[in-house]
Each structure stands twice: as C-alpha cells, then as structure tokens.
C-alpha cells in the first residue's frame, strides 16, 4: 500500500491540493481527504463556538455565585470570550444556526468549569442555562459587569 503525501507531510499535502485547485487540475485532487478535511474545518468552528460559550457561561456562573471573589481576571475573560464569539459569528454567519445546539453543549462545559474551579456544589447550580443567548452576547450583562477593580 502506497503512503500518500497526506499521511507523511500534511502541510505539503495542503499546499499541493491548493495549487491543484488554483490551476483547475481537479483530476489530481485527493478528494476523499479533501472532503474529510473540509468537514473537519466546519466541525472545528462549531467546537470553538461551544468552547468559547462554555468558558463564558462558566465565568458568568462564577460571577453570579461567588460575588465576593469577583476579579478583573473574570471580567476580562467574560469580555474576551464575548468578543471572540462575536468575531467568530461575524466571520462564519451560518454558525448562528448552530447556536442553540452549541448552547446546550456549552452549558455542560460551563458547569464543569465552575465545579472544577470552585467549591460550589452541583446541587446549588441550575439544571439549565440561566442565560439567554442575548444575555450571553450582551457586553452590558450583567448590570454590574463594568465594576472597576
């Protein structure tokens, strides 16, 4: 069985496939692997959206459930995740159709974050995400997010 460039030099393979596409030499393309990689790119963007929402939710939960421990670090993390999510959605508008599904996954990630980083018991936390998508993406939510440290 012949080892393909895809298996031995991924970067070289991507450059080769790009050049073949640019030249219109479609018959030389490694279609099976191209299809797999393109699908992976889309799934990677979905995963990035879920992960960023999860970090955002986790920090909003910490903000809500541990007001005495609020910090500039949490504030910056919340702000940064919102900016990155908005950039991701602006660059990939069709990801908006994935937001509801991403939110379900993100809530589980956010719970895992708060449970691993705080002494808060799971029984004290909500069973469903307490934040709407609008609230999650609103840079002024919650009302006290702009407090100075």
């Amino acid at each position: 069985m012949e080892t393909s460039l895809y298996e031995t030099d991924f970067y070289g393979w991507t450059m080769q496939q790009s050049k073949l596409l640019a030249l219109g030499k479609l018959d030389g393309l490694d279609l099976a692997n191209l299809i797999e990689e393109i699908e992976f790119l889309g799934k990677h963007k979905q995963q990035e959206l879920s992960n960023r929402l999860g970090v955002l939710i986790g920090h909003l939960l910490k903000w809500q459930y541990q007001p005495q421990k609020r910090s500039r670090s949490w504030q910056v993390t919340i702000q940064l995740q919102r900016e990155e999510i908005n950039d991701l959605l602006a660059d990939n508008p069709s990801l908006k159709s994935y937001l509801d599904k991403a939110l379900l996954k993100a809530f589980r990630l956010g719970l895992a974050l708060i449970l691993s980083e705080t002494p808060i018991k799971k029984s004290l936390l909500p069973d469903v995400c307490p934040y709407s998508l609008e609230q999650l993406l609103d840079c002024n939510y919650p009302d006290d997010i702009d407090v100075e440290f």
Side-chain angles (χ1 to χ4, degrees), residues 114-126:
I114 192 171
L115 290 171
S116 69
E117 294 184 1
T118 74
I120 299 171
K121 294 182 182 351
K122 186 175 182 178
S123 61
L124 299 176
L125 295 168

Side-chain angles (χ1 to χ4, degrees), residues 15-140:
M15 295 298 101
Q16 176 195 61
Q17 297 302 296
S18 176
K19 186 175 182 179
L20 289 170
L21 281 168
L23 294 172
K25 295 187 177 183
L26 305 181
D27 57 330
L29 292 173
D30 179 358
L31 288 178
N33 286 319
L34 269 174
I35 290 166
E36 183 179 322
E37 290 302 324
I38 290 170
E39 287 175 351
F40 173 79
L41 288 172
K43 289 178 182 176
H44 178 73
K45 292 297 181 186
Q46 288 178 336
Q47 185 65 43
E48 181 181 354
L49 179 60
S50 295
N51 289 344
R52 291 194 178 280
L53 281 168
V55 172
L56 174 59
I57 290 168
H59 278 77
L60 284 171
L61 287 169
K62 289 196 297 186
W63 190 269
Q64 179 180 346
Y65 284 85
Q66 291 189 306
Q68 72 285 1
K69 292 190 176 187
R70 290 177 181 170
S71 68
R72 180 154 177 74
S73 173
W74 290 1
Q75 193 179 47
V76 169
T77 297
I78 290 168
Q79 176 187 6
L80 180 61
Q81 293 308 309
R82 283 179 168 148
E83 289 173 7
E84 293 294 330
I85 291 165
N86 283 319
D87 288 348
L88 184 62
L89 292 172
D91 292 344
N92 304 278
S94 61
L95 270 178
K96 290 177 184 172
S97 65
Y98 178 72
L99 273 169
D100 289 334
K101 190 172 182 180
L103 183 58
L104 294 174
K105 190 174 191 179
F107 180 62
R108 290 193 311 268
L109 294 171
L111 281 179
L113 186 147
I114 192 171
L115 290 171
S116 69
E117 294 184 1
T118 74
I120 299 171
K121 294 182 182 351
K122 186 175 182 178
S123 61
L124 299 176
L125 295 168
D127 293 327
V128 295
C129 187
Y131 315 112
S132 68
L133 283 169
E134 292 76 22
Q135 289 171 322
L136 289 171
L137 300 178
D138 181 355
C139 63
N140 297 312

